[in-house]
Amino acid sequence: DIVEKHFLRWYLRLVRDRVLALRVVNRDEAAAMVRAWGFPEEKILVIPSFYLDFSVFRDQGTPKKYDVMYCGRLVRHKGILLFLDAVAELNRRRPGVTAAVIGEGEMREEAGRRARELGMEKQVAFLGWIKDLGALSRTYNEARVFAMTSCYEGGPRTALEAMACGVPVVSGRAGVMREVLHEGVNGYWAEWAPASFAHGMEWLLLNEENRRKAGKAARESVAKFERVKMIGEYARAYRKLLGIPG
């Protein structure tokens, strides 16, 4: 990660006088980073790299099967071990917690071992990747709370998809979550520590009516990423960049 950032900083300095614009995927993290590296403000173009199909990702009123859910690659920076440790901490506070992990990756075996070491192997379901979007939406709908434990992100798309399904989120301050999560309204901020994530999960699970309200607010907060709206934003941004009227 350090090598990648050094290379990116070098590359941006090389091209900043040769390009019309630099496209970044979020305002509060990516744009701030390249701005701090000296890239001209007027050349920074913020265009998210994701859009949501609300006909697929929607609140289906599905009976809940899991208290908390993770979705993403099982790699170090995504925080899969942090998620499992947080679930174990939550289980100490509220015995009988159920959790689901959607995804695969290089840490799959290590994650399975951690679940066993924590005594959570019967309470954590490893579901692998769910490639069908309809099935993925139905699975999001089976969760009461979604956890975004990644330490850096462009999105993440998965958290936004869960929010579109009416699932409130406990998240660290990363990626576009800085722009869409409002504590106590549609989710809960957490530090990158198991106890902090467990506290946020517990806060949302304590009161079902409040959790439902937070889920409704979560869906409303990602409305700006609706597919047709975002495609229009892409088109307008590139027309403006190229000097094309309309």
Side-chain angles (χ1 to χ4, degrees):
D1 294 342
I2 295 174
V3 173
E4 288 179 359
K5 286 186 176 180
H6 278 298
F7 174 79
L8 180 58
R9 182 182 297 186
W10 170 83
Y11 179 75
L12 291 178
R13 288 174 177 169
L14 179 69
V15 303
R16 64 186 174 189
D17 296 324
R18 307 180 189 182
V19 298
L20 291 174
L22 172 71
R23 182 252 181 123
V24 296
V25 297
N26 63 65
R27 189 178 309 280
D28 288 348
E29 186 168 312
M33 180 176 68
V34 298
R35 191 183 300 116
W37 289 349
F39 204 86
E41 176 74 33
E42 65 274 12
K43 287 190 173 185
I44 299 174
L45 183 63
V46 180
I47 306 178
S49 60
F50 35 77
Y51 56 78
L52 301 171
D53 185 344
F54 278 12
S55 69
V56 175
F57 295 104
R58 56 189 176 83
D59 187 346
Q60 301 176 25
T62 305
K64 303 305 179 186
K65 185 175 181 180
Y66 307 107
D67 291 312
V68 289
M69 181 172 287
Y70 168 104
C71 182
R73 289 183 295 126
L74 306 188
V75 294
R76 189 73 56 187
H77 82 270
K78 293 286 188 178
I80 178 58
L81 299 185
L82 170 58
F83 173 78
L84 294 171
D85 289 347
V87 170
E89 173 63 28
L90 178 64
N91 189 62
R92 284 190 282 272
R93 304 179 186 191
R94 295 171 58 91
V97 164
T98 55
V101 173
I102 301 172
E104 293 286 352
E106 62 191 41
M107 293 183 66
R108 173 62 182 86
E109 289 188 11
E110 185 176 353
R113 285 197 303 272
R114 179 64 66 88
R116 291 191 294 274
E117 290 166 359
L118 293 167
M120 298 293 295
E121 68 271 23
K122 294 183 179 180
Q123 292 164 251
V124 179
F126 287 89
L127 305 179
W129 285 121
I130 301 175
K131 296 181 180 180
D132 178 78
L133 294 184
L136 179 59
S137 176
R138 289 191 294 274
T139 307
Y140 284 140
N141 270 269
E142 292 177 335
R144 293 183 175 88
V145 176
F146 186 92
M148 203 297 287
T149 51
S150 180
C151 59
Y152 63 86
E153 279 289 347
R157 173 186 289 274
T158 57
L160 300 179
E161 289 171 344
M163 294 174 82
C165 293
V167 184
V169 174
V170 179
S171 176
R173 289 174 170 82
V176 78
M177 299 309 294
R178 297 170 183 263
E179 301 171 32
V180 300
L181 195 150
H182 305 286
E183 185 162 294
V185 178
N186 60 5
Y188 193 93
W189 287 121
E191 302 302 324
W192 281 282
S196 184
F197 269 90
H199 181 75
M201 295 169 182
E202 185 177 33
W203 184 84
L204 285 165
L205 292 169
L206 276 174
N207 186 300
E208 178 61 15
E209 181 60 26
N210 287 343
R211 190 200 64 79
R212 288 178 183 273
K213 288 179 180 178
K216 184 176 184 294
R219 179 169 172 79
E220 293 170 352
S221 67
V222 297
K224 63 182 179 180
F225 299 113
E226 189 274 329
R227 181 179 59 176
V228 175
K229 185 181 295 184
M230 285 305 305
I231 291 173
E233 291 291 333
Y234 293 162
R236 281 188 290 274
Y238 287 122
R239 285 196 193 103
K240 182 179 179 180
L241 181 63
L242 297 172
I244 300 173

